[in-house]
Amino acid sequence: MAPVCVLVGAPGSGKTSTGEALAALLGCEFRDTDADIVAAAGKPIPDIFVDDGEEHFRALERAAVRAALRSFPGVLALGGGAVLAEENRVALAGQTVVYLIVELPDAVRRVGLSSGRPLLAINPRATLKHLLEQRRPLYEQIATHRVDTDGRTPQQVAADVAALLRTTGPGASSAEPAY
């Protein structure tokens, strides 16, 4: 039982808001592995980073991704850094993975510079720029589809993703241009 699709992208790409809108359009459930991590740890992600460290968070993330890919049949959103783990990238092979592309200005506007995201706590704009540059090749590597989110609402992006899923079906390889 695999997800209908898996949404990946940088912080501010709209994985959660687009995922919720997409699940509503497709008539299925939405799940975010970050929410699974919070539930498993019993505390917010910033507290996990402070109390237990990033490596502990990443171990929880790998477990959450593994569990969701095995058992969740809806729209699944992964945390922005989930692609850093080779284990996660390997597990995404054969899945329908939609890379939600966001450029720095839109990401900054959406995330804000005073967010509760632990990796953005110090110099958020520079850190976000670095994260975008570091992770982009990994998102590209695992993507089945790519959809541009800049200047668009989650509903507009979700409509494009739904149309892609209807025309190509799960597991199809992507040769389409980014929208």
Side-chain angles (χ1 to χ4, degrees):
M1 179 178 319
V4 172
C5 74
V6 180
L7 302 178
V8 299
S13 63
K15 296 177 299 288
T16 300
S17 54
T18 296
E20 290 169 345
L22 179 60
L25 280 175
L26 299 177
C28 63
E29 296 206 24
F30 170 74
R31 183 168 170 182
D32 187 327
T33 57
D34 280 352
D36 293 349
I37 294 165
V38 168
K43 55 185 160 183
I45 290 172
D47 291 354
I48 298 169
F49 269 75
V50 170
D51 298 344
D52 308 306
E54 183 176 358
E55 186 45 48
H56 179 71
F57 170 79
R58 296 295 174 201
L60 293 172
E61 184 174 56
R62 289 189 301 274
V65 169
R66 186 171 47 250
L69 289 176
R70 287 184 185 149
S71 64
F72 183 68
V75 174
L76 179 65
L78 303 187
V83 298
L84 296 172
E86 183 177 359
E87 174 184 331
N88 290 340
R89 294 191 308 273
V90 168
L92 289 166
Q95 302 284 337
T96 300
V97 179
V98 180
Y99 168 27
L100 300 180
I101 301 166
V102 65
E103 298 303 329
L104 185 61
D106 273 36
V108 167
R109 186 169 44 258
R110 292 174 188 170
V111 170
L113 296 179
S114 61
S115 74
R117 297 170 190 249
L119 291 180
L120 301 179
I122 300 170
N123 196 349
R125 186 177 184 85
T127 302
L128 189 53
K129 181 179 188 295
H130 171 72
L131 292 178
L132 287 168
E133 291 168 356
Q134 173 195 38
R135 297 173 181 177
R136 182 167 292 150
L138 300 174
Y139 297 135
E140 289 286 348
Q141 173 190 347
I142 62 169
T144 309
H145 304 290
R146 294 148 190 83
V147 179
D148 187 6
T149 67
D150 285 346
R152 305 176 72 211
T153 68
Q155 293 73 23
Q156 291 169 324
V157 175
D160 281 353
V161 174
L164 282 171
L165 295 176
R166 284 189 208 105
T167 33
T168 60
S173 89
S174 174
E176 82 282 347
Y179 285 83

